[in-house]
Amino acid sequence: MTLLLILCALIYGIAMLFILLYSMAQAHLLYRFRLFRRLGKRAAPPAPEVWPAVTVQLPVYNEKYVVERLIDSVAALDYPADKLEVQLLDDSDDETSEIIKIKIKQYPHLNLRHIRRPDRSGFKAGALKYGLALAQGEFIAIFDADFTPQPDFLKQTIPYFANAKLGMVQTRWTHLNKDYSILTRLQALALDAHFFVEQVGRNSQHAFINFNGTGGVWRKATILDAGNWQDDTLTEDLDLSYRAQLKDWQFLYLPEVESPAELPPVMSALKSQQFRWTKGGAESAVKHLGTVLRSGKPLRTKYHALAHLLNSAVFVALLVASVASIPLLWAKVHNLLPSGAYEAAAVMLLGFVVISLVYFQANFLGKSMGMHRVLGFLLYYPLFLSVSMGMALHNAVAVWEGWTGRKSPFIRTPKFNLEARQHTWQENFYRNMQMPFTTYLEGLLGLLFLAVAIWSVVQQEYVMLIFHSMLALGYLLVFYHSALSYRRT
């Protein structure tokens, strides 16, 4: 029994140490972000005397709810019409294709090309590669179907490519439906931390950053030099980003340029998106981590690349630590382990404090720190942290599949456009995913941690009460909202 407890303590310690080391990278990004902010606003480069040719790629697959809005937004781009090509890379097998055909007739003065492939091989990466071979532009702007680029998007980004070494410009996502529900508010909190603190923190010290799949502009020559789009991971954007930067192309992140987009309003859509991002990140880590560590990049750059490529492993560490904590709590009640072990465990929890500071900074950026905003953060952040914990099983499965090379298809995230429609998300035609077995396990884990939390109160042992209570709340909320949002058979 003692040996088993020591093993649990060792597993728990390794998992929490990983989270602590990851949080140290986050702390450094927060420091670099604040330093960047103190330097003030950067001066925008002058507009070129002659605007270069640009191809806007719009990869679309079954997007009947949002494709008209997308075309209208791109048609409103303020850019010389004779230098602008728009590719609608349409892989749809529903009425979306017919909607596109009708819609583009409203803009006869624009070079709108409706491109259909023979098959959907390679999914999004395959569509982008197919379109790139036909693209006339020197630069390639990419928008997913749920984005609505601002009219001045190209005129704010293209001038930076006067730097011949610049390969990609990424802009900041903003949220069309942030206030739709608690779920969208929590997603906005997570994404703002990435698009404010992490991207700025990395880019300000010339560490690896990633193209976020949309809302950015590539130099076409960069894509080709880096080996073109590849479909061997579910995050073709992250994969190409690392290949390009390993070939010494520079990337630029512009937090001042906004790219509005829609957040998934239901749990099933969010899970689909999270699974693809998390598994693709794990696949990209397997593909690139060794190359990065063997490269001639500075040690600090390698450290941040390590944290970047392994950030999804935090969910594995959290799942392992949470399960291992149960026998450790039992051992604490029965005095089977030295008290020093629990003091060391408390130090490990500092990682969560550091991560909380990152989200606190992102939440208040450019906004007043009034008491109502502080109270709002204190209300939403514990809920966000709980739900993130409740996603640990789902995302840990994705990470494991990515690490072990198990392949799965590219599952699109259903789009809703609820602001423009009168009916509810329950009527969305694309909400056709069946509830997976892991969702039932999330419900069981929620009940397990609830029982553990109650037992710890009965035993008057409170050392892990908050941790287990948040786990219980998170898993039960994820299970409940998942059960509501998946299709019934």
Side-chain angles (χ1 to χ4, degrees):
M1 178 64 72
T2 303
L3 183 61
L4 184 61
L5 288 176
I6 292 174
L7 180 61
C8 287
L10 183 62
I11 292 172
Y12 178 87
I14 292 173
M16 294 301 291
L17 178 61
F18 176 83
I19 294 174
L20 179 63
L21 292 175
Y22 172 76
S23 74
M24 293 300 100
Q26 294 292 97
H28 188 251
L29 292 180
L30 180 59
Y31 164 74
R32 293 295 310 192
F33 168 79
R34 293 185 63 86
L35 183 63
F36 175 86
R37 294 283 294 178
R38 283 200 296 269
L39 294 176
K41 210 170 185 179
R42 86 179 102 209
E49 294 183 7
V50 178
W51 289 99
V54 174
T55 296
V56 178
Q57 291 189 321
L58 309 175
V60 172
Y61 174 68
N62 293 355
E63 304 289 4
K64 67 179 184 178
Y65 296 121
V66 296
V67 72
E68 291 182 286
R69 182 182 68 184
L70 172 67
I71 294 172
D72 287 336
S73 298
V74 173
L77 287 171
D78 178 18
Y79 204 77
D82 62 327
K83 296 296 181 70
L84 184 64
E85 174 193 33
V86 179
Q87 292 182 338
L88 281 143
L89 304 172
D90 178 22
D91 285 348
S92 303
D93 53 21
D94 68 352
E95 60 263 46
T96 300
S97 298
E98 191 60 32
I99 293 172
I100 292 173
K101 289 178 184 178
I102 295 171
K103 187 64 179 180
I104 61 178
K105 291 179 181 178
Q106 297 179 16
Y107 301 102
H109 60 291
L110 295 178
N111 184 13
L112 292 170
R113 303 180 62 192
H114 187 193
I115 298 173
R116 300 274 291 165
R117 294 192 291 160
D119 56 63
R120 201 183 168 220
S121 60
F123 305 105
K124 182 181 176 182
L128 293 172
K129 184 176 182 179
Y130 188 89
L132 190 69
L134 306 173
Q136 301 168 2
E138 180 184 356
F139 300 100
I140 311 294
I142 301 173
F143 297 102
D144 282 346
D146 52 334
F147 275 69
T148 59
Q150 301 291 335
D152 61 351
F153 177 88
L154 293 176
K155 287 193 172 179
Q156 287 195 79
T157 53
I158 292 298
Y160 287 94
F161 286 99
N163 173 7
K165 295 181 180 179
L166 185 64
M168 192 279 296
V169 170
Q170 175 66 51
T171 64
R172 178 170 59 90
W173 295 6
T174 55
H175 321 295
L176 293 170
N177 60 336
K178 175 181 177 179
D179 297 325
Y180 178 78
S181 67
I182 291 179
L183 185 60
T184 55
R185 286 179 180 271
L186 298 182
Q187 291 176 73
L189 182 63
L191 287 171
D192 286 347
H194 171 69
F195 280 100
F196 277 126
V197 178
E198 293 180 350
Q199 287 285 64
V200 170
R202 292 188 184 108
N203 198 217
S204 67
Q205 57 184 316
H206 307 294
F208 288 90
I209 69 167
N210 59 296
F211 169 58
N212 291 106
T214 175
V217 184
W218 284 85
R219 189 186 298 273
K220 183 179 179 180
T222 302
I223 300 175
L224 296 175
D225 182 57
N228 214 324
W229 297 103
Q230 298 175 8
D231 62 0
D232 55 346
T233 74
L234 291 179
T235 47
E236 71 293 322
D237 44 9
L238 178 62
D239 170 38
L240 181 59
S241 296
Y242 267 78
R243 283 188 279 119
Q245 289 169 104
L246 282 167
K247 299 206 76 170
D248 294 326
W249 285 99
Q250 297 176 11
F251 281 17
L252 179 64
Y253 179 63
L254 298 178
E256 64 272 22
V257 181
E258 299 181 358
S259 291
E262 176 185 294
L263 295 164
V266 296
M267 185 61 74
S268 59
L270 173 61
K271 278 187 166 182
S272 173
Q273 183 186 73
Q274 287 288 308
F275 192 91
R276 189 176 69 250
W277 288 355
T278 307
K279 181 174 179 177
E283 291 173 327
S284 294
V286 172
K287 184 174 180 178
H288 295 297
L289 200 51
T291 306
V292 170
L293 295 178
R294 290 190 299 269
S295 71
K297 301 291 183 181
L299 183 60
R300 183 172 63 183
T301 299
K302 292 180 180 180
Y303 176 57
H304 280 291
L306 188 71
H308 188 195
L309 288 170
L310 292 180
N311 60 4
S312 57
V314 169
F315 291 105
V316 177
L318 181 59
L319 178 63
V320 169
S322 62
V323 173
S325 70
I326 298 175
L328 293 183
L329 178 63
W330 181 84
K332 178 77 163 63
V333 170
H334 293 88
N335 296 314
L336 297 177
L337 286 176
S339 59
Y342 299 97
E343 293 171 2
V347 173
M348 300 290 188
L349 292 175
L350 287 174
F352 290 100
V353 176
V354 173
I355 293 171
S356 299
L357 291 174
V358 171
Y359 287 102
F360 183 83
Q361 173 71 81
N363 186 67
F364 287 97
L365 191 66
K367 303 165 188 172
S368 63
M369 288 187 64
M371 185 55 64
H372 70 288
R373 290 201 59 82
V374 174
L375 292 175
F377 178 80
L378 294 177
L379 173 66
Y380 278 107
Y381 182 69
L383 185 59
F384 163 77
L385 201 56
S386 296
V387 172
S388 297
M389 290 178 173
M391 292 286 287
L393 174 63
H394 175 268
N395 287 345
V397 171
V399 173
W400 183 253
E401 288 191 6
W403 284 348
T404 57
R406 181 178 177 182
K407 295 300 179 183
S408 57
F410 185 103
I411 304 299
R412 63 180 290 281
T413 304
K415 313 300 191 306
F416 291 80
N417 195 12
L418 294 176
E419 291 76 14
R421 297 164 56 220
Q422 298 302 314
H423 44 88
T424 61
W425 60 262
Q426 289 89 343
E427 300 170 13
N428 187 289
F429 176 78
Y430 301 123
R431 193 177 62 89
N432 56 7
M433 293 175 289
Q434 304 301 324
M435 191 161 77
F437 177 70
T438 51
T439 299
Y440 297 101
L441 293 180
E442 288 164 350
L444 291 175
L445 282 172
L447 294 175
L448 172 63
F449 286 114
L450 178 61
V452 171
I454 293 172
W455 180 75
S456 66
V457 172
V458 171
Q459 296 294 324
Q460 297 184 344
E461 183 54 71
Y462 307 113
V463 66
M464 292 185 178
L465 178 60
I466 294 177
F467 183 48
H468 290 146
S469 298
M470 293 180 72
L471 284 165
L473 176 63
Y475 276 116
L476 290 174
L477 281 174
V478 169
F479 169 76
Y480 173 73
H481 286 284
S482 297
L484 287 180
S485 63
Y486 283 111
R487 283 278 190 202
R488 304 295 193 271
T489 53

